[in-house]
Amino acid sequence: MKKRMKPKSDILQILFYKTFCGILISCLLAACKSTTGIVSSGTEIMKSEEAFFASVLDHSFRFHTLSAHLKLELDSPDKELSVKAHLKIVYNDRLQLSIQPLLGIEAFRIELTNDSIKILDRMNKRYITESYEKIKGKAAFDFNFHNLQSLFANHIFIPGESGISSGQFRRFRVNRNKDSVILKLKDETGPMYVFTTDNDEKLLSTSIIDKSGKHSLIWDYGNFRNVGKQRFPFRMEALLTAGDKTRGVVTLTFSQPEINNPLNTDFNIPSGYEQVTFSQIIKLLDKQ
């Protein structure tokens, strides 16, 4: 007997909640506590490396607002999908992602702020609004808004902090190779953060490995092009692994981003929508 196919709406629902939210939101990263017990290199830090670090920060992509249309591809062991999306970021305030799988019609909207996450599911007329404290413990990594913002903005960051300065250079262990500079930051009780740059001061990759070493998130950057007079990666790929297995990949391909324009970031919940929790959604999807 042939296996009965699920309706298309059910497939989309499962994909976005279980794959996208699982990979890009719940499982992203970054301890909310400040880092302590940073491992030093044990050798004197060369001035040239410190100057390089300062230059990397100085060349970071700077904006007050960022808006971009993009192609979002989701690939997990049992699901693949490519959809259109619209990203909005108000720096250090909020990040919104609108998922538009069909004819530019919004199916999901996700908003992250300093203290909470909201998801609007227009397909099933329901919504989620929860603090990060309630989400902690449901993923391989703790969650922090500023760290996620840094991933989308191609920035080096310090876990749990809202900014970074050149004076914090000595908190990193530095390995300089012929073609790259690797910056490592480790909390004695938490994950390892690894930032890889090239000799042109571009951040090429951010990796986060949990304390056990069993889970990792690798966020790669490529296809750098100019936005105004600044460099921005028009392709990003987020790879989540567990042990020696890949749990999923999210690839983002940007159209021409726009910066520093006024943005409408309203997040209105329509009347009649049902409020649900992450735990309820996970239980429902585990039965699919």
Side-chain angles (χ1 to χ4, degrees), residues 12 16 20 68-74 81-87 97-109 251-253 255:
L12 286 170
F16 282 110
F20 181 75
H69 292 283
L70 52 90
K71 178 182 178 182
L72 193 154
E73 298 169 277
L74 308 177
L81 190 67
S82 175
V83 298
K84 293 181 179 179
H86 189 197
L87 173 70
L97 192 64
S98 172
I99 310 297
Q100 303 162 0
L102 298 172
L103 302 175
I105 299 173
E106 183 178 72
F108 297 86
R109 182 179 298 184
T251 302
L252 301 98
T253 305
S255 298

Side-chain angles (χ1 to χ4, degrees), residues 201-243:
E201 301 159 351
K202 295 195 302 292
L203 177 62
L204 301 180
S205 178
T206 296
S207 300
I208 301 95
I209 304 100
D210 76 342
K211 180 182 178 181
S212 70
K214 295 179 180 179
H215 300 89
S216 67
L217 174 72
I218 303 170
W219 195 290
D220 290 328
Y221 303 98
N223 190 19
F224 283 84
R225 292 153 59 184
N226 283 347
V227 176
K229 296 182 179 180
Q230 302 186 83
R231 296 173 302 193
F232 185 80
F234 276 56
R235 179 181 173 85
M236 302 181 186
E237 184 176 274
L239 171 69
L240 185 70
T241 66

Side-chain angles (χ1 to χ4, degrees), residues 125-220:
K125 294 187 176 182
R126 59 192 180 191
Y127 69 97
I128 295 171
T129 177
E130 288 193 4
S131 68
Y132 300 139
E133 288 299 318
K134 289 186 178 180
I135 300 174
K136 289 178 69 174
K138 295 183 174 69
F141 302 100
D142 288 338
F143 189 82
N144 178 273
F145 166 77
H146 295 287
N147 300 163
L148 176 59
Q149 175 183 258
S150 294
L151 288 175
F152 277 97
N154 188 224
H155 289 177
I156 292 173
F157 61 86
I158 293 179
E161 298 189 14
S162 60
I164 184 171
S165 67
S166 58
Q168 295 168 304
F169 168 75
R170 294 178 183 274
R171 298 177 70 173
F172 292 81
R173 171 183 287 173
V174 182
N175 297 107
R176 192 160 194 167
N177 303 315
K178 180 180 179 181
D179 300 319
S180 65
V181 178
I182 299 173
L183 305 164
K184 295 183 179 180
L185 185 66
K186 184 176 182 180
D187 186 334
E188 288 182 343
T189 61
M192 169 76 79
Y193 301 82
V194 182
F195 305 93
T196 302
T197 72
D198 65 10
N199 288 322
D200 292 327
E201 301 159 351
K202 295 195 302 292
L203 177 62
L204 301 180
S205 178
T206 296
S207 300
I208 301 95
I209 304 100
D210 76 342
K211 180 182 178 181
S212 70
K214 295 179 180 179
H215 300 89
S216 67
L217 174 72
I218 303 170
W219 195 290
D220 290 328

